[in-house]
Amino acid sequence: MTIQCISPIDGSVYATRETLSRTDADAAVTRAKTAQSEWAARPLAQRIVLVQAGVAAVGAMNDEIVPEIAHQMGRPIRYGGEFGGFSERASYMAEIAETALADIVVEDSDAFRRVIKRVPHGIVLVVAPWNYPYMTAINTVAPALIAGNAVLLKHASQTPLVGERMVAAFQSAGVPKDVFQNVFLDHQTTSDLIADRAFGFVHFTGSVGGGKAMERAAAGTFTGIGLELGGKDPGYVMDDANLDAAVDTLIDGAMFNSGQCCCGIERIYVHESLFDAFVEKAVAIVNGYKLGNPLDPETTLGPMAHVRFADEVRAQTAQAIAAGATAQIDPALFPQDGGAYLMPQILTDVTHDMRVMRDESFGPVVGIMAVKDDAEAIRLMNDSNFGLTASLWTQDAKRAEDIADQIETGTVFMNRADYLDPALCWTGCKDTGRGGGLSVIGYHNLTRPKSYHLKKA
């Protein structure tokens, strides 16, 4: 089978790769299993140094990586790629590794040594998405390798060059080639490998349907699975919010990367006293965007990664307008709209009967609703099948935390949005998935506890 990356810039074939046969995939797993034992036996400090060197080697490629990302998934080059977040996350996980992976010594006396150690799963399969192809992958790759696992990285077909870049960089820094491998696999081979217990742990970031396929493949194997399956993240602007800061951050969170962010803002609830002013300011911001070729430094909004993604957002928007929503952005301001190039849109007069307020849009559209109080906002924020993040805007930290306790979500922000803090667990609930990455908890998920009860003679 051949994987093709169709560039959203012009619809041309940007890259093609052949997938591995089952025989070759099995061979890759066997090599990883053999190499993992020696890798895990190395001192933790050595693994940390090699992973950090691999991260730095990726950074050295950034001038080549930025236009590659634009060609593969459409993000404008003006934003400079992902190395800042990539490095921040890996560096934090390296910093906490010694503490997070430390033995828990219960007793070490003349009579007994009782200790709990954290040991690697063996081989970790990382199935990474295209929207932030470097940052999402490093969330698991770095701590998995540091913890002593071997890693097989299967990247999305839209961004096939990313896995090759990462593996080449890490190998150039001294990580053994069989410890970290890039693999091109079709869906069936991936499922078959999981069903045959090829991996000790699988981490998948992608669609709800893809997550269900992973769970079906792993059924009965007891293989650990981490799933991050997207969201419909809300923002709530309270009556005492800093309005300018709320508008700037929430609209950027809704539109940046053409709305293709797992934790992007997809619906906004504004206290009725601030609603009109919020919408006016939001429209002014969006009207200033420039939709166009991502290789143009003046472009602020590039194409979506694929025409079918843009068409889904168009369908949600059209359905909402047909049901009574008001489109606030004039299409005449964005004549480039068409194909993968999708104009941004703000919708008012929306309701939760509309798909645009319930289904994941993953594009540059956001619905804004007025609410009368906190109770109404909480009810609406929880009226979703997803639960990744929520963004609260207020000057009152206690009020925010009280509301946060009532929201069904993995992360709650106050006066910020669309940010992944590596010191906190990146997790979700409901259809967003299960498990948790980064932080100390990320290490716990990428290892298993092993107890030693040693009676001394």
Side-chain angles (χ1 to χ4, degrees):
M1 176 181 170
T2 299
I3 290 173
Q4 282 191 337
C5 169
I6 306 299
S7 176
I9 293 177
D10 57 10
S12 64
V13 176
Y14 183 66
T16 60
R17 296 293 186 272
E18 294 295 323
T19 58
L20 295 179
S21 67
R22 178 59 196 269
T23 299
D24 289 340
D26 286 338
V29 169
T30 298
R31 292 194 305 271
K33 188 174 296 186
T34 301
Q36 186 270 328
S37 298
E38 188 276 332
W39 175 250
R42 296 192 187 201
L44 173 61
Q46 186 181 119
R47 297 197 301 267
I48 292 172
V49 167
L50 289 172
V51 168
Q52 288 177 313
V55 170
V58 171
M61 299 175 176
N62 201 53
D63 287 347
E64 301 147 67
I65 285 172
V66 169
E68 281 182 356
I69 291 175
H71 279 289
Q72 291 176 93
M73 55 73 62
R75 186 183 310 127
I77 60 170
R78 68 179 289 139
Y79 298 118
E82 302 174 25
F83 186 68
F86 181 91
S87 178
E88 178 189 27
R89 298 172 189 188
S91 296
Y92 182 80
M93 295 308 285
E95 178 185 326
I96 68 168
E98 187 174 345
T99 300
L101 296 170
D103 297 346
I104 301 173
V105 180
V106 178
E107 178 183 359
D108 197 358
S109 67
D110 292 340
F112 290 97
R113 173 169 166 78
R114 293 183 294 145
V115 61
I116 302 169
K117 298 185 179 183
R118 300 219 65 93
V119 300
H121 289 299
I123 303 176
V124 172
L125 174 66
V126 179
V127 184
W130 50 262
N131 62 319
Y132 281 93
Y134 284 91
M135 288 197 292
T136 52
I138 202 63
N139 292 349
T140 309
V141 168
L145 289 172
I146 289 172
N149 297 285
V151 173
L152 266 59
L153 174 59
K154 175 190 180 300
H155 229 293
S157 59
Q158 194 65 40
T159 46
L161 305 188
V162 174
E164 291 180 339
R165 282 278 186 192
M166 287 183 63
V167 166
F170 276 62
Q171 290 180 2
S172 74
V175 174
K177 65 182 180 65
D178 292 331
V179 167
F180 184 23
Q181 301 178 55
N182 177 63
V183 290
F184 296 107
L185 302 172
D186 60 38
H187 295 326
Q188 189 59 54
T189 301
T190 304
S191 294
D192 290 345
L193 288 169
I194 294 171
D196 289 343
R197 301 189 184 190
F199 312 110
F201 189 83
V202 176
H203 190 275
F204 173 79
T205 304
S207 68
V208 174
K212 290 179 179 179
M214 293 289 172
E215 287 199 325
R216 285 193 297 269
T221 68
F222 308 115
T223 299
I225 297 182
L227 301 172
E228 202 252 272
L229 310 178
K232 193 70 183 173
D233 294 8
Y236 172 34
V237 181
M238 301 176 213
D239 51 354
D240 66 338
N242 180 324
L243 182 62
D244 288 337
V247 174
D248 288 346
T249 303
L250 290 175
I251 294 303
D252 182 67
M255 301 296 173
F256 187 77
N257 205 36
S258 297
Q260 298 167 132
C261 304
C262 299
C263 58
I265 297 297
E266 296 214 356
R267 49 200 175 105
I268 300 174
Y269 307 100
V270 183
H271 188 271
E272 57 191 9
S273 65
L274 298 179
F275 180 78
D276 289 341
F278 185 98
V279 172
E280 181 181 357
K281 290 175 180 289
V283 168
I285 290 172
V286 173
N287 282 345
Y289 290 160
K290 180 181 177 182
L291 174 65
N293 189 318
L295 299 174
D296 180 353
E298 298 301 313
T299 293
T300 56
L301 202 68
M304 295 191 68
H306 198 283
V307 173
R308 71 176 183 274
F309 304 148
D311 285 344
E312 167 61 15
V313 180
R314 289 187 178 102
Q316 289 187 21
T317 303
Q319 186 270 340
I321 292 171
T326 300
Q328 295 289 335
I329 306 301
D330 184 353
L333 296 174
F334 296 93
Q336 307 93 331
D337 185 85
Y341 290 84
L342 178 63
M343 66 167 284
Q345 188 56 268
I346 292 172
L347 298 173
T348 55
D349 301 311
V350 288
T351 72
H352 275 223
D353 293 325
M354 300 172 182
R355 287 206 302 127
V356 77
M357 296 299 284
R358 303 192 62 83
D359 294 352
E360 186 171 34
S361 301
F362 219 61
V365 62
V366 65
I368 307 178
M369 293 179 66
V371 293
K372 64 180 183 297
D373 55 26
D374 293 347
E376 183 180 16
I378 292 167
R379 178 180 63 80
L380 289 169
M381 284 189 283
N382 284 340
D383 184 26
S384 173
N385 291 331
F386 294 98
L388 185 56
T389 79
S391 176
L392 307 179
W393 291 81
T394 176
Q395 304 300 315
D396 186 338
K398 183 180 185 306
R399 179 183 180 188
E401 190 160 351
D402 287 345
I403 292 171
D405 288 341
Q406 301 173 67
I407 304 174
E408 298 160 353
T409 190
T411 296
V412 182
F413 298 106
M414 173 180 158
N415 297 336
R416 76 178 311 174
D418 193 20
Y419 171 71
L420 195 158
D421 182 345
L424 299 176
C425 182
W426 189 244
T427 186
C429 60
K430 300 193 280 191
D431 279 357
T432 289
R434 65 178 185 180
L438 298 173
S439 76
V440 172
I441 292 172
Y443 274 118
H444 290 178
N445 286 330
L446 291 166
T447 56
R448 65 177 179 86
K450 184 177 182 180
S451 295
Y452 293 72
H453 192 132
L454 309 177
K455 181 180 181 182
K456 299 179 180 179

